[in-house]
Amino acid sequence: MSSVFVPGKIIISGEHSVVYGEMAIAASISIGVSAEVVKSGGSKKTEIVRKAIEIAGGNSGLHVWIQSNLPIGSGLGSSAATATAVVKTIREYLGKPIDNDELFKLVMECEKIAHGNPSGIDPATVISGGLISFVKGKPIQKMIFKSPIRLLLVNSGRPKETTREMVEFVAQSKNKEEIITKIGELTERVATMLVNGEEVRGLLNDNGLFLEELGVVGKTARSLSQKLRELGASVKITGAGGVVAGSGMLMAMSPNLAKIKRFLDNGNISYIETQIGDR
Ligand code: PMV
């Protein structure tokens, strides 16, 4: 029995607006979820894991071991990566390997539990791996960035709300149309600039501010973002965000990451350093 590894993801630009048909850009990251069918024991079966086993054609007596180093509910694609890893490992175990198109359809069924009305960007990114641009209902486009982006994923705290609740929150919000159109236009510019190797930090910071205006970034994350901006960083949340408690991971980009890291280390704020866009 072999173990399957599926990466997590970050949304570089276009969360929330992607639900309304705008483009989003996303990348897989080096941390993720491993899963393996085991003879006995295995991990606790959450609703998503149970659903993933069932739709992969496995019976409820199957035991699956799952190991994840993705923080749960923090915008790094934990639910999509878990469902993908479980479906893949069950299908391999059953001797019926699955292609990416079918895998996407099955994982979308699981995502509906976590997201309600998912755009599909999370499963698309973790299944394809690498860098993609994504428009709901259309085939993914693989991207190559001319220059990689170095960034910190700064933990602003686990959101109290689920992605589903945040998507519903945006659906109810009165001023969403204008902001969503602005994020959509910005994302298309970012996509072109990334392919050309141009600096996108400023635009991604604007995206972060639009998301704050949309109301999906809570007080704690807003004040942390403000401090990071004062130190010269460009900041945006990645993922659905959160209002009442934390807002998940913040992407922080700066020509002087060492200065940002010193600030985070001094404040005991956890972060992951990563680079996206490597070929
Ligand atoms: O799963 P998260 O937190 O990365 O959020 C997914 C992105 C949303 O645009 C907020 C929802 C969706 O389905 O596209």
Side-chain angles (χ1 to χ4, degrees), residues 8 48 60 67 74 106 113 144 178 184 190 221 251 261 269:
I48 288 177
S60 56
Q67 191 184 44
S74 296
L106 298 189
I113 298 175
I144 296 174
E178 200 187 324
V190 168
M251 290 168 56
K261 287 197 306 192
I269 301 167

Side-chain angles (χ1 to χ4, degrees), residues 18 47 53 61 75 82 104 118 145 174 200 223 243-244 253 256 270:
V18 68
E47 202 183 348
I53 293 175
T82 302
F104 178 79
F145 295 0
K174 292 211 168 51
V200 294
S223 84
V243 186
V244 179
M253 296 145 284
N256 189 351
S270 67

Side-chain angles (χ1 to χ4, degrees), residues 9-11 14-20 24 73-80 108 111 114-123 134 136 159 162-164 166-167 170 211 216 237-241 247:
K9 66 103 210 354
I10 59 170
I11 298 178
E15 47 276 270
H16 286 295
S17 46
V18 68
V19 173
Y20 298 87
S74 296
L76 297 189
S78 155
S79 65
M108 275 299 271
E111 283 291 277
H115 285 201
N117 174 27
S119 65
I121 188 158
D122 286 14
F134 177 87
K136 191 174 173 176
T162 60
T163 295
R164 182 189 194 119
M166 291 311 296
V167 169
V170 172
L211 288 163
V216 296
I237 55 157
T238 181
S247 307

Side-chain angles (χ1 to χ4, degrees), residues 19-99:
V19 173
Y20 298 87
E22 303 287 350
M23 176 196 280
I25 307 166
S28 61
I29 51 179
S30 57
I31 54 176
V33 178
S34 298
E36 184 177 350
V37 175
V38 288
K39 286 207 169 64
S40 61
S43 309
K44 196 168 145 251
K45 288 179 188 155
T46 61
E47 202 183 348
I48 288 177
V49 171
R50 235 177 301 179
K51 177 85 180 166
I53 293 175
E54 178 202 315
I55 58 176
N59 63 50
S60 56
L62 280 180
H63 298 282
V64 185
W65 164 86
I66 300 165
Q67 191 184 44
S68 172
N69 43 17
L70 297 172
I72 294 169
S74 296
L76 297 189
S78 155
S79 65
T82 302
T84 304
V86 172
V87 170
K88 257 181 129 170
T89 194
I90 298 269
R91 288 290 293 259
E92 279 184 17
Y93 172 80
L94 296 174
K96 295 183 201 159
I98 187 165
D99 67 36

Side-chain angles (χ1 to χ4, degrees), residues 174-278:
K174 292 211 168 51
N175 64 345
K176 67 170 181 298
E177 269 94 16
E178 200 187 324
I179 302 175
I180 278 166
T181 307
K182 282 188 193 156
I183 297 178
E185 284 167 4
L186 179 150
T187 302
E188 302 218 4
R189 279 175 65 200
V190 168
T192 309
M193 289 167 76
L194 286 170
V195 171
N196 294 337
E198 292 167 59
E199 186 48 68
V200 294
R201 281 198 299 268
L203 278 182
L204 293 183
N205 188 62
D206 291 348
N207 186 344
L209 294 169
F210 286 143
L211 288 163
E212 290 182 19
E213 213 180 311
L214 195 57
V216 296
V217 190
K219 217 166 139 196
T220 315
R222 280 204 311 273
S223 84
L224 176 57
S225 303
Q226 180 57 30
K227 285 190 196 120
L228 295 170
R229 286 180 182 126
E230 279 161 18
L231 293 171
S234 299
V235 185
K236 74 173 271 287
I237 55 157
T238 181
V243 186
V244 179
S247 307
M249 291 292 179
L250 305 174
M251 290 168 56
M253 296 145 284
S254 166
N256 189 351
L257 278 185
K259 184 170 162 191
I260 307 296
K261 287 197 306 192
R262 265 197 309 275
F263 165 80
L264 295 170
D265 289 335
N266 287 339
N268 260 326
I269 301 167
S270 67
Y271 60 89
I272 301 165
E273 187 167 5
T274 189
Q275 179 157 302
I276 47 175
D278 281 335

